[in-house]
Amino acid sequence: MTTIRKGYVDTPAGQVHYRTLGTGEPVVLLHMSPASSAMWEPALPHLAARGYQAFALDTPGYGDSFRPPAPPSLEEYAAYLLAAIDG
């Protein structure tokens, strides 16, 4: 597969947007703030070519992911992202 696929995963707090490419052992990529998963698009084909399934997530409040009603704490960000990874 050479086309980056975009999608959403439902979490208890809202939808988290992601980009993915490849098959194999999963690798999760998180962007800098403020940014989005688009920053990882050049890296996704390289990871896929090496046998990984790369998932680049838009953290809540950025990119196309849900917007929390208030700035989240680090613990809340961690919970949001773990829920997305589990999904």
Side-chain angles (χ1 to χ4, degrees):
M1 174 187 266
T2 59
T3 303
I4 295 171
R5 188 171 67 91
K6 298 177 183 179
Y8 290 90
V9 61
D10 291 323
T11 73
Q15 289 187 320
V16 172
H17 178 256
Y18 65 88
R19 299 163 201 266
T20 188
L21 184 64
T23 59
E25 189 171 348
V27 174
V28 176
L29 305 167
L30 302 175
H31 60 81
M32 297 182 294
S33 283
S36 76
S37 61
M39 71 173 282
W40 291 111
E41 282 193 359
L44 294 178
H46 297 287
L47 290 164
R50 286 165 179 76
Y52 295 101
Q53 183 174 11
F55 291 91
L57 304 178
D58 284 343
T59 59
Y62 297 95
D64 290 329
S65 288
F66 76 95
R67 304 274 186 260
S73 67
L74 288 178
E75 292 81 8
E76 289 170 321
Y77 267 125
Y80 295 154
L81 295 173
L82 285 174
I85 290 166
D86 285 344

